[in-house]
Amino acid sequence: MIEFVKHNSIKIKGSKTIYIDPYKVEKEYKDADYIFSTHSHYDHFSEEDIKKIIKPETKLIVVESSKKDALKLTENVIVVEPEREYELDSISFSTKYAYNVDKQ
């Protein structure tokens, strides 16, 4: 099941629960197995919202610019770089460069 949360946030629920850029999470679920934060902007890396979904064994996947803040939340931090492929437990994913075309 894929669920749109708010703004740019997505929750994928199957055998594992994955959040991408959690933002404006309405209540404390504490159900995330993996949290992906695509970049360090407040609406993509929201400490307040991550705290609502993280549990002790959650893996937090971030970019280098979010590493310091991520380590405040958990030791289970994986730093990724663009244009790479990763295998993590039972999931594989690739990363891409992203940017806003209307901003410098």
Side-chain angles (χ1 to χ4, degrees), residues 55-99:
K55 55 188 180 180
E57 62 274 13
T58 300
K59 293 188 176 150
L60 183 51
I61 299 95
V62 300
V63 295
E64 183 66 38
S65 60
S66 299
K67 179 181 177 182
K68 181 179 173 184
D69 291 327
L71 286 169
K72 293 180 203 172
L73 301 170
T74 181
E75 293 179 0
N76 296 324
V77 174
I78 294 113
V79 177
V80 297
E81 296 177 9
E83 304 300 328
R84 300 259 177 114
E85 293 192 17
Y86 295 89
E87 190 123 352
L88 180 59
D89 303 328
S90 61
I91 62 171
S92 58
F93 60 94
S94 59
T95 56
K96 302 291 179 198
Y97 280 103
Y99 57 92

Side-chain angles (χ1 to χ4, degrees), residues 3-40:
E3 176 186 340
F4 172 71
V5 179
K6 294 263 183 192
H7 184 54
N8 56 332
S9 181
I10 297 170
K11 178 180 182 178
I12 303 168
K13 188 157 178 70
S15 61
K16 299 288 184 183
T17 300
I18 301 169
Y19 286 84
I20 302 170
D21 293 337
Y23 184 65
K24 299 289 184 188
V25 176
E26 293 182 3
K27 62 181 187 177
E28 291 204 23
Y29 292 100
K30 303 289 186 188
D31 64 344
D33 294 298
Y34 304 95
I35 301 170
F36 287 83
S37 173
T38 58
H39 60 283
S40 60

Side-chain angles (χ1 to χ4, degrees), residues 36-49:
F36 287 83
S37 173
T38 58
H39 60 283
S40 60
H41 292 170
Y42 71 94
D43 55 342
H44 295 265
F45 185 92
S46 168
E47 286 186 41
E48 175 184 340
D49 293 294

